[in-house]
Amino acid sequence: MEPAYRGLGRCACAFWLAVAFDVFGLLILLLGVFVNVFFYDFLIYAGAIVIFLSLIWWVFWYTGNIEVPPAELEDDVGLLKKDKGGAGGIGGAVRRLSSRVSSGIRSSLRRNGGPSAHARVARQPESLPVALATMTPREGTPHTVSAAVDCDVAMPHTTTETSPT
């Protein structure tokens, strides 16, 4: 035996949350309208947003209280009755078309390597080997280091002091 729901139905929590959001939003909105503060526009917008968010709870409460007889629910979840035949009429044609389109999309995604669970790794460019030559420093000329890719880099002359060991 199902419990008898009176008044608010099965989703009383969603109902009271919706009412609380409405009351709180209305209070904030009215504060913004009637109280002389420099941030009145913030209060007006915040109250309107809170009232808008209460719609979520109203939708939860309403949809949670919709009662669907099991006879109608059987058809929606794919358990067709034997006496209807399952494939007759416009409903059967729409169901077959929907099944054909969804299976075609699913198979084409599998075939073409569609969205997968693994993130695709971007290919890194191959590293180029660079050969460095050791050169003896000449006085008064900048030092250059040449690489295998024909790129000359001018380096200023620096001296290194070492402590005697």
Side-chain angles (χ1 to χ4, degrees):
M1 178 175 149
E2 289 187 31
Y5 297 106
R6 289 179 287 148
L8 301 178
R10 286 184 287 254
C11 302
C13 183
F15 175 82
W16 289 116
L17 276 170
V19 169
F21 270 59
D22 279 337
V23 169
F24 185 64
L26 187 63
L27 286 175
I28 293 174
L29 183 95
L30 292 177
L31 275 175
V33 171
F34 293 114
V35 175
N36 190 15
V37 290
F38 69 93
F39 54 93
Y40 68 93
D41 53 345
F42 171 75
L43 293 175
I44 292 172
Y45 288 129
I49 290 171
V50 171
I51 291 171
F52 176 75
L53 292 176
S54 77
L55 289 174
I56 295 171
W57 299 112
W58 285 116
V59 169
F60 282 170
W61 175 73
Y62 180 78
T63 57
N65 285 314
I66 294 175
E67 292 186 20
V68 179
E72 290 182 26
L73 189 62
E74 284 178 359
D75 189 38
D76 289 341
V77 294
L79 302 173
L80 297 176
K81 294 180 180 178
K82 298 292 182 189
D83 59 346
K84 282 188 176 180
I90 295 176
V94 170
R95 194 171 295 111
R96 283 192 308 270
L97 177 67
S98 170
S99 172
R100 191 174 302 154
V101 168
S102 64
S103 65
I105 290 172
R106 200 175 312 122
S107 66
S108 71
L109 285 176
R110 285 187 197 135
R111 196 173 345 139
N112 296 334
S116 63
H118 305 292
R120 299 194 186 272
V121 178
R123 299 188 80 190
Q124 297 293 329
E126 294 180 18
S127 59
L128 297 173
V130 176
L132 299 177
T134 306
M135 301 176 65
T136 58
R138 296 184 193 133
E139 293 297 325
T141 60
H143 300 283
T144 60
V145 177
S146 61
V149 289
D150 295 330
C151 177
D152 292 333
V153 178
M155 298 178 62
H157 180 68
T158 57
T159 59
T160 308
E161 294 183 15
T162 58
S163 60
T165 51

